[in-house]
Amino acid sequence: MKKFSSKRSVQILGSVLQQYGVQNIVISPGSRNAPIAIHLAESQYFNCYSIVDERSAAFVGMGMALSEGKPVAVTCTSGSAAANYYPAVAEAFYSNIPLLLLTADRPTDYVDIFDGQTIRQKELFSQHSYGDFELMEDSGADADDFNLETIKKAVELCIEKQGPVHINIPLEEPLYELVQDFPLVPQVEKTIRKRGTELPSTLVAEWNLAKRILILVGTVKQSEELENQLIQLVKNHTVVVLCETNSNLKDPRFLHHIDRYISGFDEQDIRTFAPDLLITIGQNVVSKKVKQFFRAADIHSHWHIDEHWHPDTYFHLTQKISARPEIFLSKLIYNISLNPRPYYNLWNSLRERKDALHREFTLRAPFSDFTACKIISEKIPVNHAVHLSNSATIRYAQLFDFQKFKCYCNRGTSGIDGSTSTAMGFAIRHAAPTVLVTGDLAFFYDINGLWNQYIPPFTRIIILNNQEGNIFKIIPGPQNANGNVLDEFIGTKHRRSAEILAKHFGFGYAKAEDELTLERILDNFFSPSIEPKILEIFTGNARNADVLRNYFDHLSGRNPVRVDE
């Protein structure tokens, strides 16, 4: 016989979550949140997952929400456990991923009297959440009505904003009283708002007058509708579309490798290629080069289209369009001229020239992170979802043909701290196989992302182990530091391997230290198996930073003879 928590606030919580379709619950161990864990785990409706490390658990929940496109709840005990959610909260906030944070707490009058596991949890995430709520304890007057309305508001806000919302839940002892039946919770009246979109006539006129229109797509979820709309705009050479790996756009008429094309731009190039109308879609853009390009350019108008965020990233913002891009573009396309513009041919000629230089370099490049990423991009099966860790990995991916996959990367805050956990959470709920391509520091930093029993056997992890944070030898600045300081405290040189960790967490393991071995292993790496697999590629002996610098020099026409160094 199933038994449920006697806590009325928890009973109401479970009912409201079910009414709004919040089905996936990530639970970290503890006693104060035991009523929540017991009640939700006993229900036939919820899918409950046990993740010990709260920092990892929140990223796992975020990956699940990213996979299914609907809110996931994470719950933990009181005290510092809740604070460990913060890195994922910040990432979900800037990436608009719906995460519902259910933190159990001591009764309110226990705060700051040195009771165990008690901190100031109310509004703990207020700087990076869309809402912060606190329930009443069951003994409070009208607690049922207050808690029902509060949970409803919180869940609806999480759905509307597609971001993190916090519910702090003070729970009095006893915590383990159970019941077989409990009073019904009233049905809530759902009041989620639907946003309308207007198309000002001034924007149509602005479009029709513009001679050089460029659309830059940042981080967006895969959308066939959006892709078809952009194809309609580009097929007559009406606009130029620049996009990145995590823009999830495939059409060959789009320019997919921004850094390949604009590297080495001087002041004359900026004037030559700058648009007079810049339209940006979606969120964070990886390329620093494109930010520098647009900030330096003389751009007359900049529209940004996004439901949630309208930052003035390029210092030219003139129009904030608060709408789903698909809805806005459907209205725009119906009203505008789609005549061809010579601007497209200008960019296309640049692309053809730089693509030829890219092919020339890759044929002669030595084994390194650069060539490993090229090979990986050619070997991953097309049906795999690809997660990329931050720092060097996502930047290398921008240079190769990863756009044929569904690609994801935590670019909200661009941190390495939850790459593995996010990918594993995604894999747990995703129907198709998932592969994580990660750097060594990102992998070792987040190894608790592997500490769960739910990772599917068709999950794959590829680690580029250059035995340091090689990004700090790529970006300008760190090289000015003393060599020992750079290696120990910035680049963090190490000699660790994932081999023992793979065995510990029940993964198959293979390694490669040269191009031929890598090619051979990858031919079988994605074949079916009874356990997930890790492939570790060692490039610590390669001059990775030099190879990448030589690549960009080659694209710019400088020092082409240095390719093989």
Side-chain angles (χ1 to χ4, degrees), residues 328-344:
F328 177 79
L329 290 178
S330 67
K331 295 187 176 184
L332 183 71
I333 290 169
Y334 183 77
N335 287 278
I336 58 174
S337 165
L338 294 176
N339 294 331
R341 291 169 168 85
Y343 186 56
Y344 177 89

Side-chain angles (χ1 to χ4, degrees), residues 180-194:
Q180 292 182 1
D181 300 294
F182 53 88
L184 291 176
V185 175
Q187 287 292 116
V188 297
E189 181 182 352
K190 297 179 181 178
T191 55
I192 298 174
R193 294 171 294 176
K194 293 185 178 180

Side-chain angles (χ1 to χ4, degrees), residues 200-214:
S201 59
T202 54
L203 297 189
V204 175
E206 203 169 306
W207 174 286
N208 290 335
L209 289 171
K211 292 181 171 56
R212 302 151 69 89
I213 303 173
L214 189 149

Side-chain angles (χ1 to χ4, degrees), residues 456-526:
F458 44 74
T459 304
R460 300 291 181 264
I461 298 175
I462 300 175
I463 306 168
L464 292 165
N465 190 343
N466 50 42
Q467 299 180 326
E468 64 181 348
N470 195 247
I471 186 68
F472 300 108
K473 293 186 176 176
I474 295 173
I475 61 175
Q479 297 90 335
N480 295 331
N482 175 282
N484 292 332
V485 172
L486 176 60
D487 286 344
E488 183 173 358
F489 298 108
I490 300 175
T492 322
K493 272 190 171 295
H494 67 89
R495 301 193 65 80
R496 288 177 174 79
S497 163
E499 184 171 6
I500 296 174
L501 286 170
K503 181 178 180 181
H504 179 70
F505 287 111
F507 280 67
Y509 177 83
K511 67 179 180 180
E513 297 178 301
D514 59 75
E515 190 167 336
L516 287 175
T517 304
L518 177 59
E519 294 261 13
R520 178 179 56 79
I521 290 173
L522 280 171
D523 285 336
N524 296 311
F525 183 65
F526 295 100

Side-chain angles (χ1 to χ4, degrees), residues 222-442:
Q222 187 178 50
S223 167
E224 186 175 338
E225 182 181 3
L226 175 61
E227 177 146 23
N228 288 335
Q229 289 168 335
L230 294 174
I231 289 171
Q232 190 172 349
L233 291 173
V234 81
K235 67 181 180 182
N236 290 335
H237 298 180
T238 303
V239 303
V240 172
V241 175
L242 292 183
C243 53
E244 297 193 305
T245 297
N246 47 331
S247 301
N248 286 298
L249 299 170
K250 300 179 181 179
D251 192 89
R253 285 164 288 197
F254 306 153
L255 280 74
H256 293 279
H257 310 290
I258 296 173
D259 284 357
R260 187 191 298 179
Y261 304 135
I262 68 173
S263 64
F265 266 20
D266 57 22
E267 290 184 9
Q268 180 59 47
D269 292 322
I270 292 171
R271 286 192 294 270
T272 300
F273 289 94
D276 48 25
L277 172 57
L278 170 65
I279 300 172
T280 52
I281 294 174
Q283 298 183 357
N284 210 305
V285 171
V286 176
S287 173
K288 188 173 182 179
K289 288 181 172 64
V290 84
K291 294 173 186 173
Q292 293 169 335
F293 168 37
F294 288 139
R295 287 169 182 173
D298 183 16
I299 297 173
H300 180 264
S301 300
H302 172 202
W303 308 349
H304 183 67
I305 311 169
D306 188 77
E307 283 188 280
H308 305 289
W309 288 96
H310 301 91
D312 191 6
T313 304
Y314 309 104
F315 311 150
H316 299 289
L317 188 64
T318 56
Q319 191 71 38
K320 300 177 181 180
I321 300 168
S322 182
R324 284 183 58 234
E326 296 89 339
I327 294 174
F328 177 79
L329 290 178
S330 67
K331 295 187 176 184
L332 183 71
I333 290 169
Y334 183 77
N335 287 278
I336 58 174
S337 165
L338 294 176
N339 294 331
R341 291 169 168 85
Y343 186 56
Y344 177 89
N345 294 327
L346 177 72
W347 274 92
N348 197 46
S349 296
L350 174 70
R351 168 175 40 193
E352 291 174 352
R353 187 168 72 253
K354 291 296 185 79
D355 284 353
L357 290 167
H358 169 84
R359 289 190 293 270
E360 182 180 276
F361 185 92
T362 54
L363 287 172
R364 299 167 58 192
F367 184 67
S368 58
D369 286 345
F370 180 90
T371 50
C373 280
K374 172 185 176 292
I375 295 166
I376 290 166
S377 72
E378 295 167 345
K379 293 290 188 178
I380 296 175
V382 175
N383 68 326
H384 280 51
V386 176
H387 280 251
L388 298 157
S389 72
N390 274 305
S391 293
T393 305
I394 181 63
R395 288 170 171 82
Y396 278 114
Q398 302 284 83
L399 306 176
F400 299 103
D401 293 334
F402 279 86
Q403 72 271 9
K404 59 192 172 184
F405 312 110
K406 288 183 180 178
C407 283
Y408 305 88
C409 182
N410 288 351
R411 292 305 297 178
T413 61
S414 306
I416 66 168
D417 41 0
S419 298
T420 304
S421 295
T422 303
M424 296 305 101
F426 186 97
I428 289 167
R429 295 301 307 172
H430 198 57
T434 298
V435 56
L436 167 66
V437 183
T438 180
D440 47 350
L441 293 192

